[in-house]
Amino acid sequence: MLIGEVAARSGISARMLRHYDRIGLLSPSERTAGGYRDYSDADLRRLFHIENLRSLGLPLADIPAAIADDARAPSDTIERLLHRTRARLAVLTELAERLEQVRSGEPRDWSDALRMVELLRGLEVPDASARQTLALTADADHASTTVLVAALLREDDLNTAGALLWAVARAGDDAVPTLERGLHDAEAARRHRAMRALEKLDTPRARAALGAPIEHPDREIAAAAARARGRDGDTAVIPRLVTDVAAGVDDVAAAEVLERLAEDPAAARTVAEHVQRAADGASVVARRRLAAALAGVRGLSADEALGGFARDEDRGVALTASALLARRT
């Protein structure tokens, strides 16, 4: 079988077949009278064996030994290939993330793009103090903001995270789209960093982004969404906020939003009603939180709710409610 026919049947180019011959990986069994390579069926089977091993990522230099030691279990070789492949995947994933960040920064030219890459690399160095310094001195333009947000979402060092949060807050609404995407990150820690950054911004656009995932499966994100909507005056989240107070999900922050909403008398009545409902059958700790949440809620309904708590069977709940009622007189 001449080289052209082998190439046609195998899909391996004649050039590659000649290369295999030169390095001794696959030499034809015969030569024609004219000196042309003449491959046998056994040669063809060896060729397919070679290509199968190549498809697993085995380097050409290692293939002869694998073929020669065909009776040996391949587990060790496969394990090495897996390790090598996973390492390459990690590098490629990191590269893809870096390219994605540069693209999302919408660089105007190569100078802009390279400046982003420089900032990216600087925020990846092992020295936390160097990362912190860079975060504090970075430009606050659109391209830099994209990189800073990505760095904030992965930063574990508290001081550096604080510097990055300050830098992101300085960028304002420019940071909102990237932070909004961060709310849906696969890692909870990154989601929560994005959440806290949007709360720190606290602009109408940031609150709108934070308030969108009200049904998020991450309870902390859903609770933050309710608070964001409440800060914008949405009284529909009052039941959710009361539930969060009872459950202890950022209950102090939820109570502050309830107090703000309760500046409206109708909303104050709604808050008191839902607090009373939540208290029915709730644990002692939950009842204490619910009573404390009425501290800044005024009106007859809130007073009546506190009166009920003042008669609670738990002394701590009763004392808390009684003290709050005493301050009103």
Side-chain angles (χ1 to χ4, degrees):
M1 195 182 308
L2 298 181
I3 193 169
E5 187 179 352
V6 173
R9 289 183 60 178
S10 66
I12 310 301
S13 70
R15 181 179 180 180
M16 182 61 75
L17 290 169
R18 293 189 188 96
H19 176 64
Y20 287 173
D21 189 6
R22 282 195 302 272
I23 65 175
L25 183 58
L26 176 65
S27 298
S29 299
E30 303 289 341
R31 291 272 180 171
T32 67
Y36 294 105
R37 294 173 175 87
D38 189 5
Y39 293 85
S40 66
D41 288 342
D43 293 335
L44 195 59
R45 285 194 297 272
R46 181 180 173 91
L47 174 61
F48 285 125
H49 198 164
I50 291 167
E51 292 308 304
N52 286 335
L53 290 170
R54 281 190 65 199
S55 73
L56 292 177
L58 196 67
L60 289 179
D62 296 343
I63 289 177
I67 293 176
D69 201 10
D70 192 48
R72 183 180 177 184
S75 54
D76 289 345
T77 300
I78 291 174
E79 188 63 35
R80 288 198 304 273
L81 290 173
L82 270 173
H83 179 76
R84 187 184 305 164
T85 301
R86 285 170 178 154
R88 287 203 306 269
L89 279 174
V91 171
L92 290 172
T93 299
E94 183 179 346
L95 175 59
E97 290 176 354
R98 181 173 291 178
L99 288 168
E100 180 65 37
Q101 290 175 44
V102 173
R103 183 182 68 174
S104 60
E106 300 175 355
R108 294 162 297 183
D109 49 36
W110 272 110
S111 175
D112 215 14
L114 292 174
R115 186 167 54 82
M116 286 182 67
V117 173
E118 183 179 2
L119 181 58
L120 267 168
R121 295 181 66 186
L123 290 170
E124 292 172 352
V125 298
D127 186 352
S129 62
R131 298 197 304 274
Q132 180 181 1
T133 300
L134 186 56
L136 293 172
T137 57
D139 294 332
D141 56 25
H142 176 74
S144 297
T145 298
T146 302
V147 176
L148 290 166
V149 170
L152 170 63
L153 298 188
R154 67 172 182 267
E155 183 58 63
D156 292 323
D157 181 76
L158 291 179
N159 292 329
T160 306
L164 285 164
L165 183 58
W166 173 83
V168 169
R170 189 163 58 104
D173 283 345
D174 229 14
V176 170
T178 311
L179 288 170
E180 187 172 13
R181 289 193 294 273
L183 294 174
H184 303 281
D185 195 280
E187 293 186 25
R190 295 191 179 202
R191 294 196 300 270
H192 297 163
R193 289 173 189 138
M195 173 192 78
R196 288 189 289 271
L198 285 167
E199 287 181 322
K200 178 80 171 177
L201 286 175
D202 200 30
T203 64
R205 187 177 175 187
R207 288 195 298 273
L210 185 56
I214 192 73
E215 300 299 332
H216 200 291
D218 184 323
R219 190 168 185 178
E220 289 191 37
I221 301 295
R227 294 195 299 273
R229 293 188 183 194
R231 284 194 292 272
D232 270 346
D234 184 358
T235 57
V237 299
I238 287 175
R240 182 61 173 269
L241 292 170
V242 172
T243 299
D244 289 340
V245 169
V249 182
D250 280 334
D251 53 293
V252 174
E256 289 174 354
V257 178
L258 285 171
E259 182 177 339
R260 182 186 299 187
L261 289 170
E263 291 174 2
D264 175 74
R269 288 193 296 273
T270 302
V271 170
E273 290 168 3
H274 281 281
V275 166
Q276 286 179 300
R277 291 176 194 169
D280 187 21
S283 68
V284 170
V285 175
R287 296 200 304 276
R288 288 180 185 174
R289 284 194 290 259
L290 289 165
L294 292 172
V297 180
R298 301 295 175 176
L300 181 60
S301 296
D303 290 346
E304 290 175 350
L306 280 172
F309 282 121
R311 296 187 295 275
D312 195 276
E313 61 185 19
D314 178 77
R315 179 173 173 78
V317 175
L319 287 174
T320 297
S322 298
L324 292 175
L325 280 171
R327 293 178 191 171
R328 295 171 185 259
T329 58

